[in-house]
Amino acid sequence: MKIWQRLICTCRRRSPWLFHMNSGSCNGCDIELVAALSPRFDAEQLGVRLEGSPRHADIMCVTGPVTRNAVSAIKTVYGQVCHPKAVVAIGSCPATTNVFIDSRTLAGPLEKHIPVDVFVPGCPPRPDAILQGVAKAAEILAERGMKPPDSATTPAVEEAQR
Amino acid sequence: MNLLTALARLLVFPGLLFAVPAAWFFLWVERKAVALMQERIGPPFMQPFFDFVKLLAKRTPPRQGIGGMLMRAWPLIAVSGAAGAVGLLPVLPSSGGFEGDLILLLALLELPSMCIIAAGFSSRSIFGEIGSAREAALSVSYNIVFLLAILSVAASQHTFRLETLAALPASPLRWLGIAAILVCLPAKLHINPFSLPNAEQEIYAGPMTEYAGPELAMWELAHGLEWVAGAGLVATLVAPHMAIGGLAAMLFIALSFVLVLLLSTLAAATARLAIDTTVRFYWRCTLIFALLAISSALFMRFRS
Ligand code: SF4
């Protein structure tokens, strides 16, 4: 049993699939995330795959300062990522709302709505910093997978299922 | 073929015990070839295995009712169909078989794509439905060519028994048939330039959009097994007859590997075609060759 658990832990660490969610970003961070997957930085070496559907993903990457419109979408998508999951906030925007602070269209920062595991600061952060953040999140994810899903960290929107 | 050999072929070689690691290996080759073409290093060797175990250990969202049960069943049916197709391949000399096993192989090869169509519709996601509709259109267009090509191979050598077919020396007509099969394989495996059902920049993951966890792992495995079955079918048709089992197996693996490498390179070098272009390609350009092959096969059959 122990060996099986260790194997699963390793596999989770070595195969983080990402879902990219833009919550009103200026597109700077999004371009850097795409650059991290490009031949120069080659995130696939870490087993990273960018997935189109949140159901397939393990790590949710959020960029942008969280506009009011995006809040419900973020919660839905967070609920759609299956356990175990982790959240990476890319850029200064989701952490602090950055230059958009005090705007009345914002409902940020991100941590008010969903639990965040890793913050990657920068405006925008460099692709290698993003990769480091993803690797860190994969480690957190592997440890979290050992425990049953915690209802305190899972918002009530767990299943926006039809 | 008695029960014991049948079980050995299904479970050991070329069945599950060989086919599952081979499926992971081919999935890795597919991704690595794309990475090398883009001057990247690409995924580590064990990556498909890591992905598979990780997905197995993930939770699936709760699904109720008959739709939920169907959604769980489709990937399992797809895996068993593809695994059965691999088990039927006549890799080892005098490994048994029965008259008409070619037809069973064709049916089993078609099973995963049927399951994909059904899975997209039963997931009730709009992306799944679009993906399934595309898969259905694709399958109607390439299957005619594919079936005619295989029929021409079988008719030119007067047998529907895979083992006899593999043992006979290849005639020029058979090469024509093999070429037609090769043209259809990328569409059968949903890789570029015919990756329409799972076009991730257009419809996310297509029929697989709503799948998660172990079910998705089964879809990945089914895709890998389709690689083994598709490449293996061509490899058994191409390979010269070998009397020694070990040598035949090695040749089979080497030929399949070369085929997978070729098809993945093609996938990396091409972009996705639109659905109407794809359908037109199969109906206009390749159908004529398949018809030529089948008519000459039949003609030769009646002359002899
Ligand atoms: S952190 Fe900077 S680059 Fe990134 S979305 Fe915010 S303003 Fe744009």
Side-chain angles (χ1 to χ4, degrees), chain B residues 187-208:
Chain B
K188 214 166 180 57
L189 298 165
H190 321 121
I191 55 172
N192 268 345
F194 307 118
S195 62
L196 287 154
N198 46 3
E200 71 268 337
Q201 293 87 349
E202 298 165 20
I203 48 171
Y204 304 113
M208 264 99 247

Side-chain angles (χ1 to χ4, degrees), chain A residues 121-137:
Chain A
C123 180
R126 285 188 54 78
D128 27 16
I130 295 178
L131 283 184
Q132 196 184 10
V134 168
K136 187 121 199 172

Side-chain angles (χ1 to χ4, degrees), chain A residues 15 42 44 53 56 58 162, chain B residues 40 51 54 58 208-209:
Chain A
S15 148
D42 191 17
E44 207 180 8
S53 162
H56 303 181
D58 306 294
R162 280 173 299 161
Chain B
R40 288 190 286 126
D51 290 348
K54 177 206 76 178
K58 258 185 107 88
M208 264 99 247
T209 307

Side-chain angles (χ1 to χ4, degrees), chain A residues 7-8 11-12 14-15 17 39 42 44-45 47 49 52-53 55-58 82-84 149 159 161-162, chain B residues 31 38 40-44 47 50-51 53-54 57-59 124-125 204-205 208-212 216 220:
Chain A
L7 176 72
I8 291 179
C11 292
R12 282 197 177 119
R14 301 286 303 264
S15 148
W17 289 5
D42 191 17
E44 207 180 8
Q45 284 176 62
R49 224 164 93 169
S53 162
R55 290 248 184 261
H56 303 181
D58 306 294
C82 301
H83 176 80
E159 278 317 316
Q161 169 82 18
R162 280 173 299 161
Chain B
R31 284 171 72 176
Q38 295 173 348
R40 288 190 286 126
I41 294 174
Q47 192 60 49
F50 290 148
D51 290 348
V53 175
K54 177 206 76 178
K58 258 185 107 88
R59 247 160 218 255
R124 286 188 296 154
S125 131
Y204 304 113
M208 264 99 247
T209 307
E210 287 293 320
Y211 280 88
L216 189 65
E220 295 271 319

Side-chain angles (χ1 to χ4, degrees), chain A residues 126-150:
Chain A
R126 285 188 54 78
D128 27 16
I130 295 178
L131 283 184
Q132 196 184 10
V134 168
K136 187 121 199 172
E139 265 162 37
I140 294 174
L141 179 86
E143 267 164 40
R144 180 169 300 156
M146 296 291 120
K147 296 181 223 131
D150 179 9

Side-chain angles (χ1 to χ4, degrees), chain B residues 199-266:
Chain B
E200 71 268 337
Q201 293 87 349
E202 298 165 20
I203 48 171
Y204 304 113
M208 264 99 247
T209 307
E210 287 293 320
Y211 280 88
E215 298 153 3
L216 189 65
M218 287 302 146
W219 281 123
E220 295 271 319
L221 185 63
H223 180 58
L225 287 174
E226 272 187 294
W227 268 110
V228 181
L233 175 65
V234 179
T236 46
L237 289 179
V238 170
H241 186 57
M242 293 269 174
I244 308 160
L247 222 57
M250 298 266 276
L251 190 70
F252 169 78
I253 294 170
L255 277 173
S256 310
F257 173 70
V258 171
L259 262 173
V260 173
L261 204 61
L262 271 179
L263 288 179
S264 325
T265 317
L266 172 83

Side-chain angles (χ1 to χ4, degrees), chain B residues 21 47 60 77 100 113 118 123 135 204 206 235 304:
Chain B
Q47 192 60 49
T60 35
I77 301 175
S113 103
S123 74
E135 167 74 27
Y204 304 113
S304 61

